[in-house]
Amino acid sequence: MGITAKNFIASYTKPESLITEEYPEEKPKLPENNRNFPFLVFDDDPDAGLRCVSCKICERECPPQCIYIVQERDENGRPVKQPKVFDIDISVCMSCQICVEVCPFDAIKMDQEYELSSLDRFDPLIHDRQRLSKSNEYYHSIHPAEAAAVDAVLAEKAARKAGNKKAADNES
Amino acid sequence: MITLPAILALSAALFATGLGIALIRRNAILIFIGIELMFGAGVLNFVAFWRFSPDPEALTGILFAMFTIAIAAAEISVGLALVILIYRHHQTPELDAANRLRG
Amino acid sequence: MTALSGTIPVFASLEGAPIALKAWILGMLENMGMPEPFLMLVSIQLSILGFFSVFLLLFVLASWFERKILARIQNRRGPNRVGPAGLLQPIADGIKMLTKEDIVPVAADKVLHACAPVLIILPAFLAMAILPYGKNMTPVELEVGILLFFAVSTATELAVFMAGWASLNKFSMLGAMRAVAQILSYELPLILAATSVVMITGSLSLTAMVEAQGGYLLGILPNWHVFTPWGFAAFAMFFISALAESNRTPFDLPEGESELVAGHMTEYSGFKYALFFISEYLGLYVVCGFAVALFLGGWQAPLPFLTFIPSWIWFFAKILCLVFVAMWIRGTFPRVRVDHLMNFAWKFVIPLGVMVLVSAAVWHLAGRGPLGWILSLPPLLIPYWLMARAYGRNYDAGGRVYRFAE
Amino acid sequence: MNALSTESIAARVREAVPEAEVELIPNKGPSGQDSLLIGAAKAVEIAAFLRDDPELRFDYASNVTGVDWPERVVKERVTATEEVDGETKEGKKVVETKIPGFLEAVYHLYSMERKHGPLVVRLRTGDRENNVTLPSLTPVYRGAEFQEREVYDLYGIRFDGHPDLRRLLMWENFADYPMRKDYTPPDDYEYEPTPHDAVLEKAKRHQADDGCGKGDPA
Amino acid sequence: MNPPSETGSPSPNPAESPRYRTAGYDSDAQLLEVSLGPQHPSTHGVFRMNVALDGEDVVKLKPVFGYLHRNHEQIAEQVSYLGSMPYTDRLDYFCSLSNNWAYAAAVEKLAGIDVPERAEYIRVITSELTRLVNHTSFLGFMLSDMGAWGTVLMYAFREREKILDLFESLTGSRMMGNYMRFGGCRCDLPPGWLEQARKVVDGYPAFLDEMESLIATNEIVISRTQRIGRLPADKAVNGSMTGPCLRASGVNYDIRKVDRYGIYDRFEFRVPLGDHGDCYDRLMIRFLEMRETLKILRPALRDIPEGPVMDPKARQRNLRPPEGEAYARVEAPKGELGFYLISDASDKPYRYRVRPPSLINLTLLEDLCLGEKIADVMVILGTIDIVLGEVDR
Amino acid sequence: MNATAYILLGILLIASGTGAAVLRNPVHSGLSAVVAFVTLGMLHMALGAQFIGFVQLLVYIGAVAILAVFAILLTRPEASHLPCLRPLRRAVAGAVTAGLVLAALLIAIFRSPSLNREPGPVAEAPVAEIGELLMTTHLLPLQTIGVLLTAALIGAVLFASTNHS
């Protein structure tokens, strides 16, 4: 009984021993690695700047098969490197991050938003492309270190591409 | 004010009810309850007689009532133990099924 | 009342406040020309209303109190959303309970199922009537007060039994069987413990018992029974048995949720369940009240210079202390097992209870004083020590030694 | 396994249990856990020997599971000489071998006393339909009880001599064996509409059936 | 899903088999059949036991499973090797990182992948932290089963929370780690993680002392656990009991010592063994194991080398291990967790089997409970420490 | 004693007693008998024997009724195939017997002239005096009752714990 008495008194005398977070008023500080559901990163323009090229690797690899992608086609019916439909059913998604790992374009990342509960099973819980698209700045704001690393890699890739192109230009 | 015969009549009725239970029920435990009701009628008589006695300070009726209650308690404790015993033998608390004295 | 009360008039006026209020209302009615029988009826009604409302308030407080205490023991905050510091939580609970669907199982014995919750709450109210809340503040002065308590508290087990049996649920049935066995077993030590006080006081009336504990030894130590060897043992016994009697942890086997879901209350919902809930808390208050009256000096102040505080405040303060201890125990101990419980009652508490009687008798003869202390301790300590040794042998309570493999 | 190779164990078993059919099945993978295929007829005796032999003491059946090997055709390119028109031609040819299907119960045995293992023991049924009875090793290894029930449940191997062979995970009236390779789930679920076309189609179909759709998928 | 029914068993009638005959009860008139679960406060999930009681004594007990069955193995045989990794989190959702390790170890064995040193250290650290999480919450649940109203549970969760915070900052999720990969770990430790972990580990002994004085010397706990549910060593071995329950019966079998997998041979720790095999021993073994775990964690957190956390040669996507099979096991907090994989050289496992310690430890549940009181059933079930996600898979 | 109270209590007493006799379910019968016991206790109190009233409640509800109902449960009468009452002929015979006994008693009561007397002066039985009398005049009966109760307790335990199987 001594132990419980100690804890009882401590809960009044030592504020840090109270472990409850009063949720709606104070929200937990999420560690950088925290993940919840995926989102799509765009660079500048929410429409054209989307990094996703609809290669469908994530759709294939997703273990619970919650991603659904339809590729965009232009007027001539030729595929364009843009997703026309990109849906994620977050009630099926199990936040495993495999889509992020397999994406070769760093286009899909994990979000930290968690207040997603709703009364409707369908509309609010099936995220479409528009809802999934979030800017690179947002990405930086939730995963600063990781985003910086990704940006570096992308910049390097771009530089190499540019270099290659320049080299190709030079050659021709 | 209620007279002594009225209370005695009530007690008689209670006694008859207890007797009726004891006579018409099969279940040994209920038979015991009937007997307890008869005891209760007796206790009521004791109390009534004490109340209407010429010398209530003697408290004899009260004391007899107490002794009766104690005896009733002793009786039912042994009785219920017997019923449990009978039940173990015959798998039923009905006395009709246990009319043989051999186990 | 000492001279201090004169200096602090607030307390002095508080002392008789409840009685004065009643007298004032009665007097007003009398002035209005009400007939005598009606006045008597009103007087009774007022007394009943008084302790009814006080205890309902206490019940409401208790559920808040319990949640808060348990939460604090567990390093949580407890209710803090409804009202200031969650004080309105019990009301929210009540509304929730009332608006819930009342479910009666199809196969249940509907009449008994409905009767049980009503019956279970009756004994607590009946027993409240004879508690001495303060000086001249016993609602019903009864010469055989303590007998009434035991007589009505047995009705609880009947109600529990009815609830369990009528629900036609195996868990309920098991819970009811446990409850009956448990309450029956702990009735005895409860009576034994109270009997020791009856022996010393020479009366069955609670008011007399409280008054016998007035006065102070050497001017500081109150003459409470708990400060005597037999009294302390009897108090411990009484409190433990009272916890068992009111189905509180660690003796909450009848409703032991980890094995029996909710025991006899499994098939209850809504308001009927709330009645069980209320009766548990009221029962707790009542048994604590009796423990206070029997052993802790009732409404007597613990120290002579504190007598200026009204007696009924002392009474309720003591009750709340005991209630707190009960909740503290609930926050600490796991539930005991049913056979341990019975063994504890029959093989430990009851023999000890008999020894308490012996000790009290010795005390009664030897008188309050060093001789009483010397003579009344051995009949308690020796059997206690012997029994503790005998039963302790079954377990390696001192801790086991474990091997380690590299 | 330090001192005891699977081969030597096989030899010991053959020595100790007469008429025991023991066959070594090598494992080509990097793990190198070879296994013993033992005949069903003497399986209980062999298991008892493995458990009780003072040097082997495989007293602990860690893992019991089933494997389904449906009938399959192994295509193998072999070099064959062929006489065509008197000439001897040498050429590659695809030989198709038909391997009949069977079910397999695999036991991973360890020794807690001597701390070695695993010894992988396999039992094979005759086919996948009718001849699916194997002797139960539960009398030897009590720990196999639930796992054999699970194998019975999911693969349909009937274990002879099992004390309480009931379905473990599926319900009693369930007809199929859900871990078999040719198992197709019955199309009776209540599909929830998702973005996937296929599932959405099914969902629509089912919700049209019951008429009280749980929310319009559209 | 229909509930598994008791009737119509196609197999030999269980009542005829000698083990299930309720000896001495010629008629069922005295027996009370109770179905504990699937919605019962202390079955720790959707788990049911058909119990026959004589008064309060248990004379028959049949566990019924399958309420949470999702055919994990079938799912895993239809997704890629990598795709099963997040599903292993959900087996024993208290110990996702141990599960990860077991699966990763099996695939590494199957495909012959090496693990870099730093990753090995991280694996040891995370899996030992997992053991702390599991045993700590075990104590809480255990005491709740005894009816202690969650006080111990709250203390346990307070401490568990600290480790879960560590997991969150490392893996991104508190319980569903999905952290290990074939040939290493998904990502390196975030900066400052080691210090934080050291702080948690350093604070742990005080917590254990507090818990021990609250539990281990509590008379009620002692009387409710000592000499209850005794399991002799030979029966435990034959019944394939593993983990702390086995060691409480006095069998010295800890896979960390026996297989010396990972880098466990570098750490000095002891294996606590009980002599009685009763519930109290099972409880105390977990205390002692936590103390030993701290002995592993301290040097591991100190000595962890720098370096990569992934084998650069290892691939996650389109992993096609050579034909063959492998069985790998680890000492998960609840017992031996094994993964048995058969590869047919495609990118999906041909056969994927989990050896769930929770399920197999339940084999002996009936034997432990027979003759005990109904309240003891909960304690015994509690000390076996099951998680239904793993039992039913 | 108030006439209204007498009538009410009397009706309740006889009704619950009859209920105990005829209710089908033995548990209902038992509980009905409990009501009869409670009413009896109240009658005692109304007659001024407070102490006896409470003792009656304590012993009959606390011990006798609970034990009886418990025993009814333990013996599972609902599993019995026989109807709850005896065969009709015997039941009628029993009822008639009870009725005859009642009639005889009533005749005796109302025809006896010595019963028509006024209640005594005391309204309440003083508890202290009961105690004193128990310890002085009636000490021997008290001791005898004590021995009897002990013997009954031991006998009951012996009966119930004997294992014949």
Side-chain angles (χ1 to χ4, degrees):
Chain A
M1 285 181 90
I3 303 267
T4 45
K6 209 176 77 196
N7 273 291
F8 176 73
I9 294 161
S11 71
Y12 283 105
T13 53
K14 284 192 288 183
E16 74 271 11
S17 72
L18 271 186
I19 49 173
T20 321
E21 268 171 0
E22 299 203 54
Y23 163 62
E25 285 91 40
E26 40 179 280
K27 293 188 179 174
K29 200 176 157 293
L30 298 174
E32 186 190 332
N33 268 344
N34 179 285
R35 58 183 150 90
N36 201 2
F37 293 115
F39 71 98
L40 297 174
V41 186
F42 64 80
D43 273 328
D44 305 309
D45 177 50
D47 209 33
L50 216 56
R51 289 182 190 167
C52 178
V53 297
S54 80
C55 65
K56 297 196 179 182
I57 290 177
C58 51
E59 185 182 13
R60 218 167 31 245
E61 288 289 330
C62 176
Q65 301 283 298
C66 69
I67 306 178
Y68 177 62
I69 304 174
V70 175
Q71 196 167 29
E72 179 85 272
R73 285 167 191 277
D74 61 8
E75 304 88 64
N76 306 332
R78 276 201 308 247
V80 180
K81 285 190 171 181
Q82 275 277 317
K84 182 175 162 201
V85 180
F86 196 112
D87 286 350
I88 293 181
D89 186 345
I90 62 164
S91 61
V92 174
C93 173
M94 58 180 185
S95 320
C96 67
Q97 206 175 357
I98 280 181
C99 51
V100 177
E101 282 166 59
V102 297
C103 182
F105 303 97
D106 285 311
I108 188 164
K109 292 292 168 201
M110 297 307 278
D111 204 346
Q112 291 188 343
E113 189 190 339
Y114 50 86
E115 283 172 326
L116 292 163
S117 57
S118 83
L119 290 174
D120 187 359
R121 154 76 181 81
F122 303 106
D123 230 11
L125 292 184
I126 299 176
H127 287 192
D128 58 5
R129 188 189 140 176
Q130 204 170 5
R131 196 157 166 202
L132 287 169
S133 302
K134 289 182 179 166
S135 70
N136 197 17
E137 286 75 48
Y138 175 76
Y139 179 38
H140 271 277
S141 69
I142 57 173
H143 302 296
E146 188 190 309
V150 165
D151 272 4
V153 170
L154 286 180
E156 194 192 327
K157 261 189 200 165
R160 210 179 320 137
K161 206 170 167 187
N164 286 351
K165 202 174 178 191
K166 206 180 262 174
D169 286 350
N170 286 352
E171 266 177 36
S172 62
Chain B
M1 207 63 194
I2 294 302
T3 55
L4 179 59
I7 298 174
L8 292 186
L10 185 60
S11 142
L14 184 64
F15 185 84
T17 320
L19 186 66
I21 295 178
L23 285 177
I24 65 175
R25 295 305 291 232
R26 282 171 186 282
N27 194 314
I29 299 157
L30 288 177
I31 292 174
F32 269 110
I33 287 185
I35 296 172
E36 288 299 313
L37 281 181
M38 285 147 77
F39 265 110
V43 175
L44 187 58
N45 271 4
F46 279 126
V47 172
F49 278 119
W50 162 75
R51 187 77 181 80
F52 289 87
S53 79
D55 179 24
E57 279 84 8
L59 293 175
T60 322
I62 296 279
L63 289 170
F64 265 87
M66 268 192 69
F67 292 144
T68 316
I69 289 177
I71 290 168
E75 175 257 337
I76 199 161
S77 67
V78 177
L80 286 179
L82 270 173
V83 173
I84 299 279
L85 205 63
I86 290 171
Y87 174 72
R88 287 222 187 113
H89 270 277
H90 300 278
Q91 299 295 319
T92 172
E94 322 270 299
L95 279 186
D96 291 5
N99 49 9
R100 290 175 305 138
L101 278 177
R102 288 183 299 124
Chain C
M1 287 288 144
T2 56
L4 264 173
S5 63
T7 55
I8 307 173
V10 185
F11 286 115
S13 55
L14 265 180
E15 166 67 52
I19 303 171
L21 188 69
K22 192 174 135 185
W24 178 70
I25 296 178
L26 283 179
M28 209 169 69
L29 286 174
E30 204 174 356
N31 289 342
M32 283 160 71
M34 294 293 171
E36 178 68 15
F38 179 78
L39 278 181
M40 221 179 84
L41 210 67
V42 169
S43 162
I44 295 171
Q45 287 295 322
L46 281 176
S47 300
I48 293 175
L49 196 76
F51 74 74
F52 235 65
S53 53
V54 165
F55 268 92
L56 279 182
L57 186 75
L58 278 181
F59 157 71
V60 165
L61 262 178
S63 65
W64 175 82
F65 206 49
E66 168 129 52
R67 281 161 166 242
K68 239 3 189 194
I69 289 173
L70 280 184
R72 285 296 171 155
I73 283 177
Q74 297 169 1
N75 292 334
R76 293 184 287 116
R77 279 179 202 280
N80 56 12
R81 288 303 151 110
V82 195
L87 263 172
L88 296 182
Q89 186 72 38
I91 295 169
D93 283 348
I95 294 170
K96 186 193 93 179
M97 287 287 194
L98 285 175
T99 50
K100 276 203 167 177
E101 188 189 351
D102 179 33
I103 299 166
V104 181
V106 180
D109 191 321
K110 300 203 172 47
V111 178
L112 291 189
H113 190 267
C115 281
V118 182
L119 189 58
I120 201 166
I121 205 158
L122 271 179
F125 277 125
L126 280 177
M128 273 174 203
I130 55 162
L131 278 178
Y133 296 100
K135 254 181 216 163
N136 310 322
M137 279 171 68
T138 315
V140 181
E141 281 284 1
L142 212 56
E143 205 185 355
V144 288
I146 195 83
L147 260 186
L148 175 105
F149 169 59
F150 292 122
V152 295
S153 70
T154 49
T156 321
E157 59 197 281
L158 211 62
V160 168
F161 168 81
M162 274 164 66
W165 183 79
S167 301
L168 210 76
N169 175 315
K170 285 170 180 170
F171 292 118
S172 305
M173 197 58 247
L174 269 174
M177 295 252 227
R178 280 181 174 191
V180 170
Q182 169 182 341
I183 299 179
L184 212 59
S185 309
Y186 278 89
E187 190 80 26
L188 232 80
L190 210 60
I191 294 178
L192 281 176
T195 310
S196 62
V197 181
V198 172
M199 271 173 70
I200 295 292
T201 318
S203 167
L204 286 171
S205 151
L206 280 167
T207 321
M209 288 177 193
V210 173
E211 270 158 8
Q213 296 178 60
Y216 300 92
L217 190 68
L218 306 175
I220 5 167
L221 195 68
N223 261 337
W224 299 354
H225 289 325
V226 74
F227 296 122
T228 61
W230 63 269
F232 181 75
F235 171 68
M237 263 174 58
F238 189 91
F239 193 61
I240 290 173
S241 313
L243 285 183
E245 184 92 355
S246 54
N247 294 341
R248 295 279 310 181
T249 326
F251 307 107
D252 57 341
L253 290 144
E255 46 178 296
E257 89 290 336
S258 64
E259 54 249 30
L260 294 184
V261 187
H264 57 277
M265 308 184 292
T266 307
E267 295 289 359
Y268 281 93
S269 65
F271 189 61
K272 288 181 189 162
Y273 181 79
L275 283 179
F276 279 102
F277 208 66
I278 293 172
S279 85
E280 185 187 326
Y281 282 116
L282 288 187
L284 182 67
Y285 273 117
V286 166
V287 292
C288 286
F290 274 91
V292 166
L294 287 177
F295 300 102
L296 294 180
W299 37 262
Q300 315 271 7
L303 292 170
F305 56 85
L306 288 175
T307 38
F308 64 88
I309 296 176
S311 54
W312 49 275
I313 290 190
W314 277 120
F315 185 77
F316 283 111
K318 285 175 189 172
I319 285 192
L320 285 181
C321 280
L322 280 190
V323 167
F324 173 76
V325 172
M327 287 166 182
W328 181 11
I329 287 174
R330 177 176 176 173
T332 309
F333 287 116
R335 186 179 303 120
V336 298
R337 210 175 70 189
V338 64
D339 54 331
H340 294 163
L341 181 84
M342 302 309 257
N343 286 345
F344 185 63
W346 290 101
K347 295 187 183 164
F348 191 80
V349 182
I350 291 179
L352 208 62
V354 176
M355 293 320 287
V356 165
L357 282 188
V358 172
S359 171
V362 169
W363 178 266
H364 192 60
L365 291 179
R368 182 178 285 266
L371 188 69
W373 274 88
I374 293 166
L375 288 180
S376 63
L377 269 175
L380 288 175
L381 290 182
I382 294 170
Y384 176 81
W385 182 73
L386 283 176
M387 280 193 287
R389 268 197 53 164
Y391 301 136
R393 212 173 291 146
N394 292 337
Y395 304 105
D396 321 326
R400 288 178 177 172
V401 182
Y402 288 89
R403 292 183 286 135
F404 288 93
E406 285 303 320
Chain D
M1 216 176 311
N2 336 336
L4 293 161
S5 67
T6 316
E7 263 169 82
S8 65
I9 293 172
R12 289 179 73 102
V13 170
R14 280 192 205 104
E15 204 178 297
V17 185
E19 296 167 47
E21 306 159 44
V22 181
E23 190 188 329
L24 182 80
I25 297 187
N27 182 353
K28 287 170 273 182
S31 77
Q33 291 171 342
D34 299 339
S35 48
L36 289 181
L37 176 67
I38 60 175
K42 288 277 170 191
V44 179
E45 282 94 328
I46 293 171
F49 167 74
L50 288 173
R51 185 188 64 182
D52 296 331
D53 184 72
E55 258 180 67
L56 300 177
R57 286 297 278 155
F58 284 106
D59 51 5
Y60 160 50
S62 161
N63 180 33
V64 181
T65 186
V67 187
D68 179 23
W69 299 99
E71 186 180 280
R72 64 203 157 130
V73 178
V74 174
K75 288 183 184 166
E76 218 172 344
R77 293 173 75 98
V78 290
T79 320
T81 48
E82 207 175 353
E83 275 188 34
V84 181
D85 305 334
E87 274 179 71
T88 313
K89 271 191 179 170
E90 208 165 274
K92 301 253 178 179
K93 191 184 156 193
V94 176
V95 177
E96 292 191 351
T97 347
K98 200 166 146 190
I99 300 176
F102 55 86
L103 298 167
E104 206 172 48
V106 184
Y107 294 77
H108 285 79
L109 307 180
Y110 283 85
S111 168
M112 279 198 185
E113 193 181 299
R114 307 189 68 89
K115 305 211 176 359
H116 55 75
L119 174 69
V120 190
V121 173
R122 316 180 94 93
L123 289 165
R124 280 182 187 169
T125 61
D127 56 36
R128 299 174 69 239
E129 304 306 323
N130 310 313
N131 208 351
V132 289
T133 307
L134 285 179
S136 165
L137 298 191
T138 304
V140 184
Y141 298 110
R142 177 71 200 288
E145 183 186 338
F146 281 178
Q147 306 191 65
E148 277 180 355
R149 268 178 76 183
E150 188 185 340
V151 172
Y152 162 70
D153 186 1
L154 302 179
Y155 283 94
I157 301 178
R158 301 188 65 95
F159 287 96
D160 226 12
H162 192 282
D164 183 26
L165 194 66
R166 288 177 295 140
R167 279 188 178 269
L168 183 77
L169 298 171
M170 310 302 284
W171 54 101
E172 287 294 342
N173 324 29
F174 189 77
D176 217 338
Y177 301 109
M179 277 305 287
R180 290 199 182 183
K181 286 283 169 191
D182 51 3
Y183 172 76
T184 42
D187 190 24
D188 58 356
Y189 298 115
E190 191 178 301
Y191 289 97
E192 288 211 317
T194 71
H196 295 272
D197 280 345
V199 181
L200 193 61
E201 279 306 306
K202 283 179 184 169
K204 274 183 183 154
R205 211 161 56 231
H206 281 280
Q207 294 198 337
D209 287 349
D210 66 9
C212 53
K214 287 190 153 195
D216 196 8
Chain E
M1 180 167 146
N2 297 339
S5 77
E6 274 303 289
T7 50
S9 81
S11 49
N13 182 5
E16 287 167 12
S17 75
R19 201 155 61 76
Y20 296 100
R21 192 173 297 144
T22 47
Y25 297 94
D26 36 35
S27 76
D28 285 348
Q30 297 181 337
L31 296 185
L32 183 65
E33 292 238 6
V34 181
S35 173
L36 292 176
Q39 293 149 321
H40 190 273
S42 54
T43 49
H44 295 212
V46 276
F47 171 62
R48 185 156 75 100
M49 289 174 282
N50 273 344
V51 186
L53 298 174
D54 173 30
E56 294 253 343
D57 296 336
V58 177
V59 294
K60 196 187 96 181
L61 185 143
K62 295 283 202 179
V64 181
F65 310 98
Y67 295 94
L68 212 60
H69 181 51
R70 50 203 186 271
N71 224 342
H72 170 66
E73 296 178 4
Q74 177 74 282
I75 292 171
E77 284 169 23
Q78 287 171 10
V79 301
S80 67
Y81 281 94
L82 175 63
S84 308
M85 186 58 93
Y87 285 112
T88 63
D89 293 338
R90 284 142 177 93
L91 284 176
D92 174 357
Y93 36 78
F94 281 102
C95 318
S96 65
L97 292 166
S98 307
N99 303 347
N100 283 178
W101 192 359
Y103 178 54
V107 175
E108 281 152 11
K109 220 173 199 176
L110 188 69
I113 305 171
D114 294 326
V115 183
E117 177 119 351
R118 185 174 171 86
E120 290 278 25
Y121 267 94
I122 294 177
R123 283 182 178 189
V124 167
I125 291 168
T126 51
S127 115
E128 291 303 317
L129 283 175
T130 303
R131 197 180 310 279
L132 286 184
V133 167
N134 182 71
H135 287 358
T136 306
S137 31
F138 157 82
L139 293 174
F141 290 134
M142 174 78 223
L143 266 281
S144 287
D145 284 353
M146 285 189 204
W149 286 104
T151 303
V152 182
L153 186 68
M154 282 299 156
Y155 295 170
F157 270 36
R158 180 188 66 197
E159 223 58 21
R160 167 181 181 255
E161 205 70 359
K162 295 177 186 161
I163 301 179
L164 288 188
D165 283 345
L166 283 180
F167 285 166
E168 189 182 10
S169 67
L170 172 62
T171 69
S173 181
R174 305 169 71 76
M175 292 173 84
M176 303 294 143
N178 182 24
Y179 177 61
M180 305 207 184
R181 292 290 179 261
F182 319 127
C185 300
R186 197 181 68 212
C187 55
D188 203 350
L189 303 173
W193 194 86
L194 284 174
E195 283 71 52
Q196 220 183 326
R198 265 181 224 130
K199 226 168 83 189
V200 170
V201 168
D202 289 340
Y204 230 78
F207 163 70
L208 287 181
D209 290 341
E210 184 186 271
M211 283 296 248
E212 215 168 314
S213 60
L214 194 59
I215 295 173
T217 56
N218 186 322
E219 290 258 351
I220 297 178
V221 174
I222 286 176
S223 68
R224 286 204 59 182
T225 52
Q226 283 191 356
R227 303 175 192 201
I228 303 297
R230 270 196 266 193
L231 177 63
D234 52 343
K235 203 171 187 176
V237 171
N238 196 245
S240 297
M241 191 68 104
T242 47
C245 300
L246 176 73
R247 294 189 283 276
S249 295
V251 183
N252 175 16
Y253 197 75
D254 187 324
I255 298 169
R256 292 176 292 175
K257 288 280 190 192
V258 175
D259 282 8
R260 298 190 168 273
Y261 64 95
I263 49 164
Y264 272 114
D265 45 359
R266 298 187 197 176
F267 301 106
E268 278 190 18
F269 64 100
R270 302 172 302 168
V271 182
L273 301 173
D275 286 325
H276 304 262
D278 56 6
C279 287
Y280 187 74
D281 272 2
R282 267 170 260 163
L283 195 72
M284 288 307 291
I285 289 292
R286 284 175 167 105
F287 265 120
L288 298 169
E289 250 177 39
M290 280 197 268
R291 294 195 190 273
E292 296 302 318
T293 286
L294 295 177
K295 282 192 194 164
I296 300 175
L297 278 172
R298 277 194 211 101
L301 288 168
R302 187 185 61 222
D303 300 339
I304 179 166
E306 291 297 318
V309 293
M310 275 292 266
D311 185 12
K313 293 193 292 289
R315 59 183 302 171
Q316 312 299 332
R317 266 187 71 212
N318 286 330
L319 178 74
R320 290 170 195 273
E323 229 173 288
E325 61 173 56
Y327 178 70
R329 53 183 194 159
V330 301
E331 179 73 31
K334 294 189 168 63
E336 171 183 329
L337 175 66
F339 276 84
Y340 173 57
L341 297 170
I342 301 180
S343 161
D344 59 350
S346 72
D347 62 345
K348 293 171 184 166
Y350 181 78
R351 176 76 181 105
Y352 169 102
R353 149 84 180 166
V354 190
R355 183 229 185 259
S358 293
L359 171 70
I360 295 166
N361 287 353
L362 281 178
T363 312
L364 291 175
L365 179 66
E366 182 175 19
D367 300 47
L368 292 178
C369 292
L370 287 189
E372 306 285 5
K373 301 269 181 284
I374 175 131
D376 295 331
V377 172
M378 301 308 158
V379 178
I380 292 168
L381 184 70
T383 52
I384 290 178
D385 193 15
I386 56 165
V387 156
L388 265 294
E390 191 173 66
V391 172
D392 289 345
R393 302 186 307 300
Chain F
M1 188 181 180
N2 197 312
T4 341
Y6 166 78
I7 292 167
L8 282 178
L9 287 177
I11 289 172
L12 191 59
L13 182 64
I14 300 307
S16 54
T18 318
V22 298
L23 280 173
R24 283 185 167 278
N25 194 321
V27 175
H28 288 171
S29 286
L31 291 173
S32 181
V34 170
V35 176
F37 289 139
V38 174
T39 323
L40 202 54
M42 281 150 77
L43 266 173
H44 293 325
M45 284 183 233
L47 280 172
Q50 235 181 28
F51 186 73
I52 291 296
F54 282 122
V55 167
Q56 164 93 14
L57 287 186
L58 187 62
V59 171
Y60 276 90
I61 313 177
V64 173
I66 282 290
L67 278 182
V69 177
F70 210 58
I72 290 174
L73 268 186
L74 278 182
T75 51
R76 301 232 188 149
E78 64 266 30
S80 157
H81 306 295
L82 299 165
C84 65
L85 299 179
R86 281 164 183 254
L88 188 65
R89 215 153 46 89
R90 282 207 232 166
V92 170
V96 168
T97 316
L100 287 178
V101 169
L102 175 62
L105 284 173
L106 287 180
I107 291 168
I109 289 166
F110 284 110
R111 299 201 50 181
S112 162
S114 65
L115 292 178
N116 277 322
R117 44 179 137 154
E118 284 301 298
V122 258
E124 297 236 326
V127 184
E129 271 177 45
I130 296 177
E132 201 155 329
L133 278 176
L134 275 180
M135 285 295 160
T136 51
T137 328
H138 297 81
L139 187 61
L140 192 66
L142 182 75
Q143 299 292 343
T144 320
I145 290 287
V147 172
L148 174 75
L149 276 175
T150 316
L153 186 72
I154 294 171
V157 169
L158 277 181
F159 271 141
S161 68
T162 318
N163 211 343
H164 284 271
S165 61

